[in-house]
């Protein structure tokens, strides 16, 4: 008779979630204060660890067509995209490909060379590409017909004025594709959609639109002429607020590995360092400490690799052998 480990697995997942809401930021940075608030709001809605809910949603649709959507483009600051988002996309894509899912990476056409280099380094092989055009007017509603599920990683969404913004309150309509039709279409068709974000401006945070406007810096009033704030109106079925969007992708992989007892699915710290060191060489830059450095949201490569190692260790330890408490004499 098979043993049901569901509740024990959820305990591990709850600990993983706690890691995801651990914001490593410079002293006084506002995100260090509000990330946990955003996480706790969605956790209270779902009633279970968010990484577990995301993993189960994916596993409930075996072998389906999944669009992993990410990216931003700026010829000066992000010629190959930003480290947070694209790296998480290719790492998640590799794991899901290993499980038999049909993966399409969706991103701005300008960052194709960087995405191809990162995908190769991550071990993603059989993916397709859906290039997005900045300034396209239809919102890509047709993509909701094409895919069974969509995962949006650090993908900026529009506010109620129809304007996308960076977390610093600046409009980014010249840098980011508008994909409102795609996001809304997935909800209307009752297909699964997951939003991974850390700032309230990313696709998915429309689930808690009013709360983002309340607690996030520039949430209700941005620095651009629209003055409507950075809070996006675009919601996904599941929202995963975390300290760094890539980390939440890694935690979802770890949960799937935990459920399947297959550590080969997990990301590795060595590959994390490899990807973060490769990123600036292909124009994929970090936005908080200056371009050209192997960082992600102010965290150096070794710090992000440490988080990857903790997630991997959680899976490894879960099925490890220990001396039973009942048999110990100490």
């Amino acid at each position: 008779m098979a043993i049901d480990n569901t509740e024990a697995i959820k305990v591990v997942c709850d600990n993983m979630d706690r890691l995801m809401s651990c914001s490593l930021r410079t002293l006084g940075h506002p995100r260090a204060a509000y990330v946990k608030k955003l996480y706790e709001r969605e956790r209270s809605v779902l009633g279970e660890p968010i990484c577990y809910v995301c993993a189960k949603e994916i596993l409930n649709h075996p072998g389906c067509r999944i669009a992993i959507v990410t990216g931003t483009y700026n010829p000066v600051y992000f010629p190959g995209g930003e480290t947070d988002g694209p790296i998480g996309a290719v790492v998640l894509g590799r794991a899901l490909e290993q499980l038999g899912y049909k993966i399409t990476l969706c991103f701005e056409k300008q960052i194709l060379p960087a995405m191809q280099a990162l995908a190769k380094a991550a071990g993603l092989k059989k993916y397709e590409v859906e290039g997005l055009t900045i300034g396209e007017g239809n919102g890509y509603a047709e993509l909701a017909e094409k895919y069974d599920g969509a995962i949006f990683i650090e993908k900026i969404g529009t506010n109620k004025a129809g304007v996308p913004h960076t977390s610093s309150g600046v409009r980014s309509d010249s840098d980011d594709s508008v994909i409102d039709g795609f996001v809304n279409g997935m909800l209307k068709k009752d297909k699964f959609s997951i939003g991974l974000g850390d700032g309230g401006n990313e696709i998915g945070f429309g689930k808690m639109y009013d709360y983002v406007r309340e607690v996030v810096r520039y949430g209700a009033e941005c620095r651009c002429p629209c003055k409507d704030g950075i809070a996006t109106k675009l919601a996904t079925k599941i929202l995963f607020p975390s300290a760094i969007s890539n980390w939440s992708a890694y935690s979802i992989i770890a949960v799937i590995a935990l459920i399947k007892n297959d550590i080969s699915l997990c990301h590795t710290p060595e590959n994390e360092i490899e990807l973060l060191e490769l990123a600036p060489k292909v124009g994929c830059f970090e936005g908080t400490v200056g371009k050209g450095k192997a960082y992600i949201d102010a965290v150096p490569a070794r710090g992000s690799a440490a988080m990857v190692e903790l997630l991997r260790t959680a899976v490894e330890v879960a099925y490890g052998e220990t001396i039973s408490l009942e048999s110990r004499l100490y």
Side-chain angles (χ1 to χ4, degrees):
M1 180 178 173
I3 300 174
D4 185 357
N5 287 319
T6 300
E7 293 307 313
I9 284 173
K10 288 182 184 180
V11 171
V12 179
C13 293
D14 202 39
N15 290 327
M16 290 184 185
D17 264 23
R18 290 173 184 270
L19 290 173
M20 295 303 97
S21 60
C22 178
S23 188
L24 306 180
R25 288 282 173 169
T26 52
L27 291 176
H29 195 291
R31 191 172 298 184
Y34 65 68
V35 160
K36 189 174 182 181
K37 294 178 181 179
L38 298 174
Y39 163 79
E40 289 177 344
R41 175 58 67 98
E42 179 69 358
R43 176 68 167 78
S44 68
V45 171
L46 296 177
E48 294 182 315
I50 303 178
C51 60
Y52 176 80
V53 174
C54 292
K56 289 296 290 184
E57 185 71 23
I58 294 168
L59 291 174
N60 285 339
H61 299 83
C64 73
R65 291 180 59 86
I66 298 178
I68 303 179
V69 190
T70 191
T72 187
Y73 168 75
N74 183 288
V76 176
Y77 301 109
F78 301 115
E82 182 186 5
T83 53
D84 196 16
I87 292 178
V90 297
V91 171
L92 180 60
R94 189 276 309 167
L96 296 184
E97 177 184 82
Q98 186 174 330
L99 287 166
Y101 290 89
K102 302 171 184 66
I103 302 301
T104 297
L105 298 178
C106 301
F107 49 81
E108 283 70 22
K109 293 176 181 178
Q110 292 92 330
I111 68 172
L112 175 62
M115 290 298 298
Q116 288 176 322
L118 292 170
K120 182 178 180 181
L124 180 57
K125 299 174 182 178
K126 299 179 182 179
Y127 66 98
E128 295 183 357
V129 170
E130 190 79 59
L132 302 174
T133 301
I134 297 171
E136 186 74 39
N138 69 354
Y140 289 95
E142 70 278 5
L143 296 184
E145 300 280 353
K146 190 173 182 180
Y147 300 103
D148 305 305
I151 303 171
F152 303 89
I153 304 181
E154 189 72 7
K155 187 61 183 169
I156 290 177
T158 53
N159 63 10
K160 288 192 175 180
V163 181
H165 293 80
T166 69
S167 60
S168 58
V170 179
R171 67 187 297 144
S172 62
D173 47 351
S174 62
D175 300 347
D176 296 287
S177 302
V178 173
I179 55 174
D180 296 35
F182 184 15
V183 182
N184 293 331
M186 296 300 287
L187 286 176
K188 289 177 181 177
K189 296 179 183 301
D190 198 28
K191 296 182 176 182
F192 85 81
S193 59
I194 300 171
L196 311 180
D198 54 33
N201 58 325
E202 301 96 350
I203 289 171
F205 277 102
K207 269 194 88 173
M208 55 174 74
Y209 173 79
D210 291 332
Y211 191 63
V212 170
R213 287 174 64 85
E214 177 185 335
V215 303
V216 171
R217 181 187 61 171
Y218 303 124
E221 184 175 348
C222 54
R223 295 164 57 199
C224 90
C226 86
K227 296 299 180 184
D228 190 56
I230 70 170
T232 180
K233 67 179 185 292
L234 298 177
T236 48
K237 181 178 180 181
I238 304 169
L239 170 64
F240 195 165
S242 63
I244 293 177
S245 300
N246 284 357
W247 291 356
S248 52
Y250 304 159
S251 73
I252 294 169
I253 297 169
V255 176
I256 293 174
L258 180 66
I259 292 171
K260 291 187 167 292
N261 190 13
D262 183 359
I263 202 167
S264 73
L265 293 166
C266 285
H267 189 29
T268 68
E270 294 81 10
N271 191 220
E272 177 71 356
I273 291 174
E274 178 186 5
L275 288 164
L276 284 171
E277 290 182 343
L278 170 63
K281 297 175 183 177
V282 296
C284 185
F285 295 148
E286 195 271 355
T288 64
V289 297
K291 62 183 181 182
K293 296 183 180 181
Y295 275 64
I296 179 169
D297 283 1
V299 178
R302 68 181 184 279
S304 193
M307 182 63 74
V308 171
E309 180 63 26
L310 285 172
L311 291 169
R312 185 181 179 87
T313 299
V315 177
E316 184 177 13
V317 169
Y319 289 101
E321 293 185 7
T322 59
I323 301 172
S324 68
L325 294 177
E326 293 78 8
S327 65
R328 292 184 190 177
L329 300 178
Y330 55 89

